[in-house]
Amino acid sequence: MAHGEALRIRVIKAVVEDRLSRNEAARIFRVGIASAIRWVKAFEETHGTAALPTGGDRRSVLKPHRDWLLELRGQGERSDA
């Protein structure tokens, strides 16, 4: 579930300025504990509150090895016969 930046700022302020624990802030603002921990950690490292990028390189790491894997798979079938 995506959360807005305003909510991230409120959680971060509760932890940094109001000295709440990350667990308490998560409970009060009804977000996951892991989210509160990540948001505060990111703020402490970057002093920013923007969401971190999502996604990334979705290409298969196995594609360059496709022929070798298919050959290996074929050998396994032959040895069982």
Side-chain angles (χ1 to χ4, degrees), residues 1-2 5-7 11 15 25-26 29 36 38 51 53 55 63 68-69 75 77-78 80-81:
M1 174 188 228
E5 186 171 4
L7 179 58
V11 171
V15 172
F29 294 103
R38 276 193 313 270
K63 193 168 188 174
W68 177 78
L69 289 168
Q75 289 174 359
E77 290 175 358
R78 278 187 232 121
D80 292 339

Side-chain angles (χ1 to χ4, degrees), residues 8-64:
R8 283 192 300 275
I9 291 171
R10 289 169 50 199
V11 171
I12 292 167
K13 279 187 174 186
V15 172
V16 174
E17 294 178 4
D18 299 335
R19 301 263 192 235
L20 291 180
S21 73
R22 288 151 179 82
N23 288 15
E24 290 173 311
R27 184 180 47 78
I28 290 169
F29 294 103
R30 300 179 121 181
V31 299
I33 294 169
S35 294
I37 291 170
R38 276 193 313 270
W39 296 344
V40 173
K41 181 181 179 190
F43 175 77
E44 290 172 345
E45 291 174 355
T46 67
H47 298 286
T49 59
L52 298 175
T54 59
D57 189 357
R58 306 288 282 173
R59 292 177 286 181
S60 171
V61 296
L62 297 177
K63 193 168 188 174

